[in-house]
Amino acid sequence: MGDSIFLTRNLFLWCMSAIYLFAFSSLYVQIPGLYGDNGILPARLMLDRGGQTAAKKFQDYPTLMWFMEDYGWSASEGMELICILGIALSLICQLSQRMRDGVSYAVLWFLYFSVYQVGQKFLWYQWDILLLEAGFLTILAAPLQLIKWKDPKRVDSSHHGITFWLVRWLLFRLMYASGVVKLSSQCPTWWGLTALNYHYESQCISTPLAWYAHQLPEWFQRLSVVATYVIEIPIPFLFFAPVRNLRLFAFWSQIFFQVLIILTGNYNFFNLLTMALCTSLLDDEDLGYQVRTRLQGLPKILTRLLSTLVYGLLAYWTVRYFSIGINWETGTVDSAIAFSDADHFQFVHDSVIFGMWVGSLSLAAAVITAVWRSLASSTAILNKIWDLVKVIFFTLVAVYMFCISLPSLTVVDRGAYHNLAPIIHDWQARTDYLQLTNSYGLFRRMTGVGGRPEVVIEGSNNLTSGWTPYEFLYKPGNPSAAPAVVAPHQPRLDWQMGFALCSSWCSLR
């Protein structure tokens, strides 16, 4: 990394403010129908005190919602109030750099956590728990600027390189797990490289461009699945590369991937949040705010050799393990998986262990760099000591966060998971209710292989005739209507109806 991440970190904080703004705004307009007294899942059902005080219930199940009754607010009104506060504070953080500090993001995190605690099924999506985990890391990455009128440009510290590294580690776990679970699930479409033949038409809420993506030729769809594997499994290891152009290659690969998903599917703020996490791969030189250091002589030669070697191995392994070849007769590219189940699970085991070692060494490098900068940053001995104390404190915090994230990383490999030290499992279990770390696995199995049935809800004022279907605003219904562009809003009922298609008819009765 370069000498400074101040502007890069500030960009990340601004992005997180925008994500919170999208999340709170999207939820606010849906609260009456989802959580009102006559809503689908009334929030008041989650807030039965059982004769206990709000403070006591808060200790057992922390959420600000317990205190709403004492001030005369109903459960749904309390959720609306929390969302309004979240909208206001996130907007202020977007507009004012002085407000982008640990206190503001701690408030935003707890506001969202409070509504998550009573949100039930409509808030149990992977992007909600990802926002909570990323939001907590944002508290650590943000400066603690209690004096708001002080120039924020002067508020920085050596330890920020350590806390910002945790964001990169989260990005790695998210992408790596999302890749390996597709094969670990043994879904025939992922193994047959045909998943994208069904994805565009079977996702919950498609975009207009999804139709055009669905029309792409078969060989291109298969090659796109291969590209998905490459972007999600091996490339994330380059997040920790000591060579700048390898990190930039990993960064742009992820950005390109997320943009394609945004264009072909409505996944609310999830892809924007993932792109925000990608800023952890950059520094101020990459943003053009510092003159880039040009390597000369032997370091330049070694860097180019290492980069060439990595790109070459990545290309070689892709061609070998996916049997990629040009079919000159048809003018297409053939591809097929050339490894077995056993090969895959052995790779997962080895790569999980390798990932833990890479993460440990990368974190150690970040700590050593922070210690060196704290000792070299100031001539005043008291400033050096204070800066070093902060580095030591946040190193302990980072090591703790790294340790409790290991169960969520190793959950894809049972052997590695059970070989973790018992104290790590204990630490993780103690903080599990706060959603500080989570396991991820997007699109584990592809739906819609046997077609796409739709749940149709009809109503009538006459039991014998005149039944009329209720059209959802965003969920596919009328086949002659073009799909809508919804993101970053998430219509949660429409999404839940989409998930209902994955259930058996017996469970829907």
Side-chain angles (χ1 to χ4, degrees):
M1 298 289 289
D3 291 336
S4 175
I5 58 168
F6 174 79
L7 294 172
T8 308
R9 182 171 55 87
N10 191 53
L11 172 62
F12 168 72
L13 298 178
W14 185 90
C15 290
M16 288 301 299
S17 302
I19 302 301
Y20 272 122
L21 179 61
F22 296 147
F24 281 117
S25 301
S26 175
L27 180 60
Y28 172 76
V29 297
Q30 302 176 76
I31 288 175
L34 298 181
Y35 301 112
D37 289 343
N38 296 317
I40 299 173
L41 292 176
R44 58 181 171 79
L45 300 180
M46 296 289 294
L47 299 170
D48 182 11
R49 293 187 185 180
Q52 296 180 334
T53 64
K56 175 59 179 176
K57 297 298 293 185
F58 182 86
Q59 294 177 5
D60 298 334
Y61 196 75
T63 173
L64 292 175
M65 294 294 295
W66 292 117
F67 301 96
M68 296 301 169
E69 181 181 339
D70 294 339
Y71 294 94
W73 297 81
S74 68
S76 60
E77 290 172 341
M79 292 186 72
E80 291 177 332
L81 174 62
I82 290 175
C83 285
I84 290 174
L85 293 175
I87 292 170
L89 182 54
S90 57
L91 183 59
I92 291 173
C93 288
Q94 273 196 292
L95 299 176
S96 173
Q97 184 178 340
R98 298 176 188 273
M99 290 297 296
R100 295 178 209 143
D101 64 0
V103 175
S104 295
Y105 290 106
V107 173
L108 285 171
W109 178 85
F110 195 66
L111 289 175
Y112 201 76
F113 181 73
S114 292
V115 294
Y116 170 85
Q117 290 285 75
V118 298
Q120 305 167 76
K121 285 186 177 182
F122 291 112
L123 276 170
W124 290 349
Y125 294 99
Q126 290 204 38
W127 34 85
D128 292 309
I129 61 174
L130 178 63
L131 177 56
L132 287 173
E133 182 171 354
F136 187 81
L137 298 183
T138 306
I139 301 172
L140 301 178
L144 185 60
Q145 186 179 346
L146 299 180
I147 304 176
K148 299 302 181 185
W149 58 86
K150 187 176 181 180
D151 186 357
K153 293 184 179 180
R154 298 182 181 180
V155 180
D156 207 350
S157 181
S158 303
H159 73 269
H160 287 141
I162 301 173
T163 54
F164 203 39
W165 179 91
L166 291 171
V167 179
R168 188 188 309 183
W169 176 245
L170 170 58
L171 176 66
F172 168 77
R173 291 192 293 110
L174 170 67
M175 300 311 301
Y176 171 78
S178 297
V180 297
V181 298
K182 292 177 172 62
L183 292 169
S184 297
S185 69
Q186 298 184 317
C187 175
T189 64
W190 287 115
W191 277 89
L193 304 183
T194 59
L196 292 184
N197 292 5
Y198 310 99
H199 166 70
Y200 299 114
E201 65 175 358
S202 65
Q203 56 188 332
C204 288
I205 304 178
S206 301
T207 65
L209 289 180
W211 184 89
Y212 297 96
H214 184 68
Q215 311 307 316
L216 293 172
E218 168 79 13
W219 67 268
F220 189 85
Q221 303 282 26
R222 297 171 66 90
L223 201 61
S224 298
V225 176
V226 173
T228 300
Y229 287 137
V230 174
I231 291 173
E232 290 188 335
I233 301 177
I235 287 183
F237 286 93
L238 299 182
F239 295 169
F240 309 104
V243 178
R244 181 184 300 276
N245 61 20
L246 292 178
R247 291 198 308 273
L248 288 177
F249 170 73
F251 169 80
W252 288 113
S253 297
Q254 303 304 320
I255 295 298
F256 175 72
F257 186 51
Q258 297 304 319
V259 169
L260 290 181
I261 297 176
I262 290 174
L263 293 176
T264 57
N266 286 291
Y267 293 95
N268 52 82
F269 57 81
F270 169 70
N271 303 108
L272 298 176
L273 176 55
T274 305
M275 294 169 74
L277 298 179
C278 288
T279 60
S280 63
L281 305 177
L282 306 175
D283 57 37
D284 290 356
E285 288 188 25
D286 298 320
L287 296 181
Y289 289 103
Q290 284 187 336
V291 177
R292 179 164 296 182
T293 303
R294 298 292 182 180
L295 298 176
Q296 301 294 333
L298 183 60
K300 180 178 181 179
I301 296 174
L302 293 177
T303 297
R304 288 188 175 181
L305 287 176
L306 178 59
S307 301
T308 303
L309 176 62
V310 170
Y311 294 141
L313 288 175
L314 189 62
Y316 169 75
W317 286 334
T318 302
V319 172
R320 176 183 175 184
Y321 290 110
F322 292 98
S323 298
I324 295 178
I326 300 177
N327 188 327
W328 297 104
E329 294 182 0
T330 60
T332 61
V333 178
D334 296 331
S335 57
I337 287 181
F339 51 86
S340 64
D341 283 2
D343 294 331
H344 165 70
F345 286 110
Q346 183 61 49
F347 167 80
V348 171
H349 176 75
D350 295 340
S351 61
V352 164
I353 295 176
F354 180 69
M356 289 191 291
W357 277 105
V358 168
S360 300
L361 294 174
S362 180
L363 176 57
V367 171
I368 293 173
T369 302
V371 171
W372 179 84
R373 287 178 178 171
S374 66
L375 296 177
S377 62
S378 176
T379 57
I381 187 64
L382 292 179
N383 290 341
K384 289 179 184 288
I385 294 175
W386 175 238
D387 213 21
L388 188 59
V389 168
K390 290 189 291 184
V391 168
I392 294 174
F393 172 77
F394 282 100
T395 295
L396 295 176
V397 173
V399 170
Y400 179 80
M401 294 298 298
F402 176 76
C403 289
I404 65 173
S405 72
L406 294 181
S408 62
L409 172 67
T410 58
V411 73
V412 297
D413 179 69
R414 184 174 300 177
Y417 179 83
H418 290 296
N419 286 334
L420 292 175
I423 192 173
I424 292 179
H425 289 289
D426 182 60
W427 286 350
Q428 193 276 331
R430 290 175 181 270
T431 59
D432 186 56
Y433 74 101
L434 293 175
Q435 304 296 329
L436 299 187
T437 61
N438 297 279
S439 58
Y440 303 97
L442 302 171
F443 302 108
R444 187 184 303 267
R445 298 188 66 87
M446 188 53 60
T447 59
V449 176
R452 176 170 180 152
E454 287 291 341
V455 177
V456 178
I457 299 178
E458 295 183 341
S460 176
N461 293 323
N462 189 322
L463 295 179
T464 59
S465 64
W467 290 85
T468 303
Y470 291 108
E471 289 288 343
F472 287 78
L473 292 177
Y474 308 108
K475 186 184 79 69
N478 184 353
S480 63
V485 176
V486 182
H489 172 58
Q490 184 194 358
R492 294 181 180 267
L493 177 59
D494 297 63
W495 261 89
Q496 202 62 41
M497 294 301 293
F499 280 131
L501 304 180
C502 306
S503 307
S504 66
W505 292 110
C506 292
S507 66
L508 292 175
R509 287 186 298 184

